[in-house]
Amino acid sequence: MRAEIAAISRILLITSRLFGQRRATAELGRRLVAVGHSVSVAGPGLARSDAEGAALNFSKLPDYRLGGPDLPAARRLADLLPPRRGVRLGQAMEALGANEIRSVLVESRPDLVLIDSELHPHIVVARSLGLRTGLTTTIYRGPPGLRAPPLESGIVPGEGVGGSRAGVAAAWLAAWARSDLARLRDVRRGGGYRGLLAAFSRSEAVDLARETTTRHWQRPFSWHRLPLLVMQPLELDLPRPPDPRLRHIGHLAGAQRDATAMRGGNSHGQDGKRLAYVAFGSMVPAPQSLVEKLWQVARRAERSWDPRGTSGMLRRTCSPT
């Protein structure tokens, strides 16, 4: 194992446009450099400042959003794609940016490439080139379990009927049924993002049936044969069955995120109190019940809280413990 790690000198990190993923990827790169690796970053233009802020070389790639390419041509062609029509299929795959992805991977010549787990075209190209490939994510992903419901369900394990083992099992069955129906719909009409990815994978000689599964909550599928670095702490994940491919490496906010949080505000609280930040994701607003529970915890701790808000972020000051 040590010899294998020592052989990994050049590492390429490929990130998506999402704020949390960009920042965590840059911090991961900074830490890898600190232990002796040569690291570069590739991704959409939004990621350039994050990479360069961590003193990492950057290569620009096509921009993608969750659930599909952020490219009108690819999205439109995927929706209209008829079964096995070479011309339109070729145009759609070209719109995925496969040539740009392949060019960056070939020029970088990495010993290891770590790719955002949502970037399916990038993963396909890396696998087709035979590169040692791993995935990264800032979202908790893992195998189904009776105490680990699908994240999109919003179920809290142990709370109410929905949070019971039977309720969680029912939620997984419903999620799988929706996934199967969506897959059948794409097969029948021969299009959609899933159909485009399947055709693209065949053209790259990558066997999706072997490499992926539709039995995790990620859509349209998860790459269950590739190692996955979860850039979040294990302690905050749901209880899951053991999965040797998963590795939680902790929260990778880094100094850049701290500086962003402090911008426009005093890093010290009022009257000598410590300033604490309670931050919620930018994609999904915080449920009101969660905010109320935070207040209840504060009151039980007999702390003095002073609410102040910034864009998308709640800030609180509290006395030191």
Side-chain angles (χ1 to χ4, degrees):
M1 175 63 75
R2 290 184 178 179
E4 184 178 0
I5 293 174
I8 300 175
S9 174
R10 297 183 303 275
I11 300 176
L12 175 64
L13 306 177
I14 299 183
T15 182
S16 64
R17 71 190 330 266
L18 294 182
F19 179 86
Q21 184 76 21
R22 288 172 8 225
R23 292 296 171 91
T25 298
E27 177 64 13
L28 174 61
R30 188 187 67 79
R31 296 186 188 187
L32 288 171
V33 168
V35 295
H37 296 287
S38 174
V39 181
S40 57
V41 175
L46 283 172
R48 180 181 295 277
S49 61
D50 303 297
E52 294 179 347
L56 302 172
N57 291 329
F58 178 78
S59 299
K60 189 176 184 305
L61 286 173
D63 196 357
Y64 286 78
R65 292 185 187 273
L66 290 177
D70 186 26
L71 298 168
R75 200 160 51 237
R76 183 172 61 254
L77 288 163
D79 290 338
L80 297 176
L81 183 66
R84 300 176 180 85
R85 291 292 187 269
V87 174
R88 186 171 289 168
L89 173 59
Q91 292 173 340
M93 291 192 294
E94 182 179 353
L96 284 174
N99 291 334
E100 292 93 330
I101 298 168
R102 184 177 291 102
S103 176
V104 167
L105 288 171
V106 170
E107 290 176 7
S108 300
R109 295 181 294 119
D111 302 309
L112 171 67
V113 55
L114 296 175
I115 307 174
D116 179 346
S117 60
E118 296 284 354
L119 299 180
H120 301 296
H122 305 63
I123 300 169
V124 169
V125 174
R127 297 297 284 162
S128 73
L129 291 174
L131 297 174
R132 182 186 281 125
T133 305
L135 307 180
T136 63
T137 183
T138 56
I139 303 173
Y140 290 107
R141 304 190 189 281
L146 294 180
R147 298 178 63 196
L151 288 187
E152 75 271 18
S153 69
I155 292 174
V156 178
E159 286 196 6
V161 176
S164 67
R165 290 176 179 266
V168 172
W172 276 113
L173 291 173
W176 293 337
R178 289 193 298 270
S179 176
D180 291 341
L181 286 174
R183 186 168 64 253
L184 290 173
R185 184 171 59 249
D186 286 343
V187 169
R188 185 175 65 251
R189 69 190 180 102
Y193 185 50
R194 187 195 307 265
L196 175 58
L197 288 174
F200 178 52
S201 299
R202 287 193 297 271
S203 73
E204 297 289 323
V206 174
D207 186 354
L208 283 187
R210 179 176 180 270
E211 299 270 355
T212 66
T213 178
T214 59
R215 288 302 178 248
H216 293 183
W217 71 268
Q218 185 182 0
R219 301 293 176 262
F221 44 70
S222 297
W223 296 82
H224 69 120
R225 296 176 61 88
L226 296 178
L228 175 64
L229 295 180
V230 181
M231 297 186 287
Q232 294 288 1
L234 173 63
E235 293 78 8
L236 297 181
D237 201 354
L238 294 168
R240 299 184 182 277
D243 188 340
R245 80 186 182 101
L246 288 180
R247 187 69 171 273
H248 294 74
I249 59 175
H251 187 49
L252 297 183
Q256 288 181 316
R257 180 65 176 264
D258 295 338
T260 301
M262 294 296 183
R263 188 171 58 236
N266 193 338
S267 61
H268 301 286
Q270 299 173 358
D271 302 325
K273 298 170 186 175
R274 184 174 58 186
L275 182 62
Y277 289 84
V278 182
F280 300 99
S282 57
M283 292 180 61
V284 181
Q288 182 64 29
S289 60
L290 176 59
V291 178
E292 292 172 354
K293 287 181 180 178
L294 286 173
W295 281 109
Q296 293 171 8
V297 170
R299 292 191 183 101
R300 285 199 298 269
E302 297 182 352
R303 294 175 176 176
S304 175
W305 289 59
D306 178 24
R308 290 180 290 167
T310 59
S311 59
M313 185 179 295
L314 296 179
R315 302 193 303 168
R316 304 286 184 262
T317 58
C318 61
S319 302
T321 56

